[in-house]
Amino acid sequence: EADIYQTPRYLVIGTGKKITLECSQTMGHDKMYWYQQDPGMELHLIHYSYGVNSTEKGDLSSESTVSRIRTEHFPLTLESARPSHTSQYLCASSEQGAGTGELFFGEGSRLTVL
Amino acid sequence: KQEVTQIPAALSVPEGENLVLNCSFTDSAIYNLQWFRQDPGKGLTSLLLIQSSQREQTSGRLNASLDKSSGRSTLYIAASQPGDSATYLCAVEGPTGGFKTIFGAGTRLFVKA
């Protein structure tokens, strides 16, 4: 069982609100990722980190931002939510080193912006 | 650029049948290939991880094979059960695209009781 947790699991908010999706892992993994997935659609990488103070944008452009101040936390923030941000956001982590590891996912945060 | 394709996109089988899901990738320079299961509205659960030096991995009724040179992997599910109904995704990690993991679109499996 993977030790990676996301909160909240479900969130419904109004347009213009600031939101932060939390992701924590207790496996000591250096690599962490955020994916965005619409229902029935493919996963798209929006942010990733290879360690503390390291963040990179993924393949899909996103208006969200991330931070990595501690190894175990990788929060995602939307400064001003819009209906187009409605989606499921999945956090994942893996060990450092090329090709070393299994990718572990959290349960996801389903965001609805009205 | 690495691309991962999964065939079929959807599959419906009666309970008890053995089945094979296919995954192909365009760049054979991979470090590993991983199969996942995703239930509706949930995260992904790792099923099997095959390192590039390995040919197959087994877990219970699941067997995954890897042919790196031809860019193919298969996930074999024996004696399928209704609880196996889910979307199955394969993903490869490699140097192409900066060591990121590239996912296929998935195969949606429905096992009828």
Side-chain angles (χ1 to χ4, degrees), chain A residues 9-10 31 33 35 37 40 42-43 45 48 50 59 88 90 97-103 105-108 110, chain B residues 31-32 34 36 38 40-49 51 89 93 97-105 108:
Chain A
R9 286 291 320 280
Y10 304 94
K31 294 161 82 170
Y33 313 83
Y35 290 86
Q37 184 184 36
E42 299 177 40
L43 280 84
L45 181 67
Y48 61 101
Y50 287 160
D59 303 319
Q88 171 152 265
L90 294 165
T100 50
E102 220 171 329
L103 199 57
F105 278 83
E107 284 289 316
R110 181 167 295 281
Chain B
Y31 297 131
N32 60 53
Q34 198 167 349
F36 295 88
Q38 186 176 31
K42 298 288 186 66
L44 278 67
T45 300
S46 177
L47 297 174
L48 291 163
L49 172 71
Q51 300 290 354
L89 297 100
E93 183 187 10
F99 305 100
K100 295 192 289 290
T101 300
I102 310 297
F103 283 83
R108 193 171 301 176

